[in-house]
């Protein structure tokens, strides 16, 4: 999965978490004290706090999975860069050895 897709999914999970917690604001007590008993009864019947906890835990799992994917992609990219650097160093060593060999086996310049 490309890095861009992973970042898009991380953004979607972030928005999902924000929406879940925004909807979770219905757990706040009503401003009118007369509605408090009705609100408490509805909240208990619908099990709102438990459902919100379950949603948040599922979003946490998704977030952890996407973080792991992101780290894997970054790790692959770093490994590829390391391989390129090693190849360049090897090429430089070979060119250096060739230069030394040419200098050793070529006739010396004679100045007139």
């Amino acid at each position: 999965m490309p890095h861009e897709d992973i970042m898009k999914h991380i953004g979607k999970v972030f928005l999902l978490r924000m929406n879940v917690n925004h909807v979770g604001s219905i757990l706040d007590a009503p401003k009118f004290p007369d509605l408090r008993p009705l609100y408490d009864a509805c909240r208990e019947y619908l099990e709102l706090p438990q459902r919100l906890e379950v949603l948040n835990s599922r979003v946490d799992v998704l977030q952890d999975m996407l973080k792991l994917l992101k780290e894997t992609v970054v790790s692959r990219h770093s490994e590829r860069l390391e391989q390129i650097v090693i190849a360049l160093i090897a090429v430089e060593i070979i060119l250096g050895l060739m230069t030394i060999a040419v200098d050793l086996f070529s006739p010396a310049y004679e100045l007139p």
Side-chain angles (χ1 to χ4, degrees):
M1 182 179 276
H3 183 69
E4 291 177 9
D5 289 345
I6 293 172
M7 294 307 291
K8 286 179 185 177
H9 287 300
I10 288 174
K12 287 179 184 177
V13 168
F14 179 74
L15 289 174
L16 178 65
R17 175 178 288 261
M18 192 173 70
N19 288 335
V20 164
N21 288 323
H22 179 68
V23 170
S25 66
I26 61 170
L27 296 176
D28 296 340
K31 294 180 182 177
F32 304 106
D34 297 340
L35 296 176
R36 181 68 185 223
L38 178 63
Y39 171 77
D40 289 338
C42 287
R43 195 171 100 169
E44 284 181 37
Y45 178 75
L46 296 174
E47 300 174 342
L48 291 179
Q50 294 87 354
R51 292 174 190 246
L52 188 63
E53 284 180 32
V54 168
L55 284 174
N56 273 325
S57 66
R58 288 181 181 174
V59 169
D60 284 341
V61 168
L62 284 173
Q63 205 167 18
D64 290 342
M65 287 173 54
L66 287 171
K67 189 184 299 182
L68 181 65
L69 277 173
K70 179 181 167 189
E71 289 172 0
T72 302
V73 168
V74 168
S75 174
R76 277 192 222 149
H77 183 69
S78 296
E79 289 173 7
R80 182 73 179 135
L81 290 176
E82 287 175 8
Q83 291 172 350
I84 291 171
V85 167
I86 290 170
L88 289 173
I89 290 172
V91 167
E92 185 174 354
I93 290 172
I94 290 170
L95 290 175
L97 290 174
M98 288 174 59
T99 303
I100 291 172
V102 167
D103 288 344
L104 285 177
F105 297 114
S106 66
Y109 269 108
E110 294 183 18
L111 294 173

